[in-house]
Amino acid sequence: MRAFFLPFIQDALHKAGIETDKEIQIDKPNDKKFGDFSTNIAFLLAKEARKNPRELATQLIALFAFPEGTVTKTEVAGPGFINFHLDPAFFMRSAQEVLTQGEKFGCTDSGKGQKAIVEYVSANPTGPLTIGRGRGGVLGDCIANLLETQGYEVTREYYFNDAGRQMQILAESVRFRYLEKCGQAIEFPTTHYQGDYIGEIAETLFIEHGDELASTEELAIFKESAEAVIFSSIRRTLERLSITHDSFFNEHTLYQSREGEPSPNRQVIDALDAKGFIGNYDGATWFMTTKLGQEKDKVLIKSSGDPSYRLPDIAYHVTKFERGFDLMVNVFGADHIDEYPDVLEALKILGYDASKVKIAINQFVTTTVGGQTVKMSTRKGNADLLDDLIDDVGADATRLFFIMRGKDSHLNFDVELAKKQSKDNPVFYLQYAHARICSLMRLAEKEVGFDEALASGESLPLLDSEPEIDLASSLLDFPDVIQSCLRLLEPQKMVEYLHTVAERYHKFYQECPILKADENIRTARLELSLTVRQVLRNGFRILGISAPESM
RNA sequence: GUGCCCGUAGCUCAAUGGAUAGAGCAUCAGCCUUCUAAGCUGAGGGUUACAGGUUCGAGUCCUGUCGGGCAUACCA
């Protein structure tokens, strides 16, 4: 609907001789007496037009040239708002679009021809996925879905490292547990991975090999089997949540030179050096961030000769630019918050357009069981597992709860609420609306021979009651909501929006008889129901939750 | 100490610098001989942590204070 107003507003500004590159805001007032839509351009442009806002607004409303049957009234209100009142029939005619466009409703081609990469999860294979990781995973998946609706060619990538120090510790952890199985008395180090899964991997090795590995100092087999088991467990968990990746990028490849070229890591060092941002002291190689006003330089290559994580991080992002992505979204948890400014600074120094990189940081998750808060912790054996949560509340609830709060807010995951089968539980509330429509359609086909495949939406303009207009009006917001989610990298807006749609449908259903109405109205109300179902489906698809036909 | 996030109804959370700060839960009062009551309607509930500032207008932006979280490694 916002797209409808823009050209008319621009046209009026043009006639008034006002040129501006300021963004034109079109709002939905929360009070109906202020119309269906409003704009504040008179405030924004008053200064350059050398008029007071009310005066400018009055001038502008005389210049709007809306077609017949769309805007019925335009008025100046308060200190200078311009309010638009729409013809109810216009909502209904517009709602036909939803049926015509079907699953394309809400899509645009604004990202067509552009390549986007969304990086998410990116957990190293040192243990099963924790609940905290799940939030970022769902967030990333939804952002990727959103980008796809705009025509971007999206790559979903998982960045991992199976070669570093943590993997070494993992291998040693498995070996210690294995030696225990072999009957040796081991004092298991507190620095190592405590989780039960270590013992299970060791058990498998013991069953397969007996104690023949006990004498070897070689860690490779412990590492490889641990990695294989853990990675497949991670992927299985993600699959349960419909989180997928197109590409798994191994950090280790950044250490390797190929075709006579230095390794990507080396190239980053050399390029930064050429720009004068590399220092060598204390036996290490430093990224001289002090030159950028930071308090300390950052180590890129440790005195041991190994790169610190920052160097491959930078090199990794360079590969994203080299691979030709126009938009790069990184999703990670708040514990990595210190990591990205250095990466962005380095990219800028190397001459890349860092504004193409967007960061979505999600805050942590706590779970509440019976009113008791349990804080999640990582790198300890007691971290709560994502798999257990999915077992407990199901995939749909897990996904929806992860994104129904703003990513910047700490998430309080109420496990008991997620299991509840009533309107208190937002998952059920949304899905019930969909199932209710499906049930209605089955009945309509049986009792009055309604064929939904033939529904064109042509009868919709017959509807004019308040619940019907409100419903149609909210359906038309869907494309705007997608844009808003993308601008903020925040799928939460979609959850709230769908809740409103479901709420208005339930109200309509309560107040307007459908199958009992006269034939014309009946058809129109069935068509409206189909329209709602389409929007719910399109929204569910972005959020990655299922659309049950009956409950 | 420093950096980032958060502080809004009893609880969980909304509100691209816009008009009287909104939902849901919980509480209270109503609606099923009628298409799914897994639903709907209504009521009460607020000094937006605190103090200043910026402007036509501040929950939102700036400064400071208080409280909570995360990070402050030659770990990732």
Side-chain angles (χ1 to χ4, degrees), chain A residues 12 15-18 49 51 53-64 76:
Chain A
K15 285 180 194 159
I18 299 170
K51 288 183 170 145
R54 254 198 99 89
E55 206 179 326
L56 177 60
T58 310
Q59 181 194 359
L60 286 174
I61 63 170
L63 296 172
F64 291 127
V76 179

Side-chain angles (χ1 to χ4, degrees), chain A residues 93-205:
Chain A
R93 285 201 307 279
S94 304
Q96 290 182 45
E97 282 290 297
V98 181
L99 289 182
T100 334
Q101 296 185 28
E103 62 182 27
K104 291 277 176 208
F105 180 65
C107 296
T108 74
D109 54 6
S110 63
K112 203 171 180 191
Q114 296 193 64
K115 290 172 68 183
I117 183 169
V118 186
E119 182 212 328
Y120 52 101
V121 184
S122 294
N124 286 339
T126 55
L129 284 181
T130 57
I131 290 176
R133 287 284 186 179
R135 189 180 188 189
V138 176
L139 180 62
D141 187 59
C142 290
I143 289 171
N145 291 343
L146 284 160
L147 287 169
E148 279 171 349
T149 66
Q150 305 306 300
Y152 283 92
E153 184 190 322
V154 179
T155 298
R156 298 150 185 261
E157 191 155 273
Y158 188 123
Y159 175 72
F160 73 102
N161 181 13
D162 60 359
R165 171 101 187 105
Q166 296 303 319
M167 290 302 287
Q168 177 87 7
I169 294 173
L170 174 73
E172 287 169 10
S173 304
V174 174
R175 181 162 178 272
F176 284 132
R177 290 296 183 215
Y178 172 80
L179 294 176
E180 282 178 355
K181 307 278 178 197
C182 296
Q184 297 190 22
I186 297 291
E187 197 169 322
F188 195 84
T190 55
T191 50
H192 284 49
Y193 289 93
Q194 310 288 322
D196 296 339
Y197 62 97
I198 299 292
E200 288 163 19
I201 295 165
E203 177 73 28
T204 307
L205 281 173

Side-chain angles (χ1 to χ4, degrees), chain A residues 351-407:
Chain A
Y352 295 103
D353 179 2
S355 70
K356 291 181 175 178
V357 180
K358 308 275 186 207
I359 313 290
I361 294 170
N362 62 279
Q363 294 295 321
F364 287 131
V365 180
T366 53
T367 51
T368 311
V369 184
Q372 285 280 326
T373 316
V374 189
K375 197 174 155 292
M376 296 307 126
S377 63
T378 50
R379 296 191 198 186
K380 289 185 189 153
N382 63 353
D384 276 26
L385 301 185
L386 183 54
D387 257 326
D388 294 343
L389 183 67
I390 303 170
D391 286 343
D392 211 10
V393 307
D396 285 341
T398 302
R399 280 193 71 114
L400 195 83
F401 273 62
F402 276 149
I403 45 171
M404 73 181 194
R405 302 294 178 228
K407 62 182 187 303

Side-chain angles (χ1 to χ4, degrees), chain A residues 25 27 29 34-35 37-44 52-58 60-61 64 74-84:
Chain A
Q25 276 182 40
D27 299 309
F34 298 128
F37 289 89
S38 73
T39 179
N40 64 349
I41 45 170
F43 295 110
L44 298 179
N52 74 49
R54 254 198 99 89
E55 206 179 326
L56 177 60
T58 310
L60 286 174
I61 63 170
F64 291 127
T74 309
E75 62 191 354
V76 179
F81 293 99
I82 298 173
N83 296 336
F84 304 104

Side-chain angles (χ1 to χ4, degrees), chain A residues 129-389:
Chain A
L129 284 181
T130 57
I131 290 176
R133 287 284 186 179
R135 189 180 188 189
V138 176
L139 180 62
D141 187 59
C142 290
I143 289 171
N145 291 343
L146 284 160
L147 287 169
E148 279 171 349
T149 66
Q150 305 306 300
Y152 283 92
E153 184 190 322
V154 179
T155 298
R156 298 150 185 261
E157 191 155 273
Y158 188 123
Y159 175 72
F160 73 102
N161 181 13
D162 60 359
R165 171 101 187 105
Q166 296 303 319
M167 290 302 287
Q168 177 87 7
I169 294 173
L170 174 73
E172 287 169 10
S173 304
V174 174
R175 181 162 178 272
F176 284 132
R177 290 296 183 215
Y178 172 80
L179 294 176
E180 282 178 355
K181 307 278 178 197
C182 296
Q184 297 190 22
I186 297 291
E187 197 169 322
F188 195 84
T190 55
T191 50
H192 284 49
Y193 289 93
Q194 310 288 322
D196 296 339
Y197 62 97
I198 299 292
E200 288 163 19
I201 295 165
E203 177 73 28
T204 307
L205 281 173
F206 184 70
I207 290 167
E208 285 173 6
H209 297 273
D211 62 0
E212 67 188 37
L213 304 175
S215 51
T216 175
E217 292 290 317
E218 191 60 48
L219 280 172
I221 187 161
F222 296 103
K223 192 196 127 191
E224 282 162 20
S225 62
E227 180 183 340
V229 168
I230 291 169
F231 231 128
S232 74
S233 121
I234 288 174
R235 295 185 70 165
R236 203 163 45 241
T237 305
L238 291 173
E239 212 168 277
R240 295 179 73 191
L241 291 177
S242 311
I243 297 173
T244 57
H245 292 89
D246 308 306
S247 165
F248 286 78
F249 191 105
N250 192 335
E251 177 187 325
H252 196 59
T253 60
L254 300 168
Y255 298 61
Q256 298 161 342
S257 58
R258 47 169 199 269
E259 293 165 20
E261 297 244 327
S263 71
N265 280 344
R266 188 73 245 167
Q267 292 183 38
V268 166
I269 295 283
D270 292 345
L272 285 175
D273 199 13
K275 300 280 184 184
F277 281 90
I278 292 295
N280 293 288
Y281 54 85
D282 293 348
T285 302
W286 302 77
F287 179 22
M288 298 175 73
T289 44
T290 45
K291 283 193 171 183
L292 302 164
Q294 293 192 26
E295 283 186 17
K296 280 188 289 187
D297 291 337
K298 302 291 168 54
V299 170
L300 293 181
I301 298 177
K302 298 182 264 184
S303 51
S304 68
D306 297 322
S308 81
Y309 66 94
R310 276 175 223 274
L311 178 56
D313 261 4
I314 297 166
Y316 171 51
H317 280 81
V318 169
T319 76
K320 291 184 182 176
F321 278 96
E322 285 176 348
R323 284 184 279 165
F325 290 108
D326 303 292
L327 175 64
M328 292 150 254
V329 181
N330 296 359
V331 179
F332 47 65
D335 53 338
H336 285 237
I337 199 139
D338 264 13
E339 180 174 323
Y340 76 93
D342 296 336
V343 172
L344 294 183
E345 291 296 350
L347 289 171
K348 279 185 222 162
I349 289 168
L350 297 178
Y352 295 103
D353 179 2
S355 70
K356 291 181 175 178
V357 180
K358 308 275 186 207
I359 313 290
I361 294 170
N362 62 279
Q363 294 295 321
F364 287 131
V365 180
T366 53
T367 51
T368 311
V369 184
Q372 285 280 326
T373 316
V374 189
K375 197 174 155 292
M376 296 307 126
S377 63
T378 50
R379 296 191 198 186
K380 289 185 189 153
N382 63 353
D384 276 26
L385 301 185
L386 183 54
D387 257 326
D388 294 343
L389 183 67

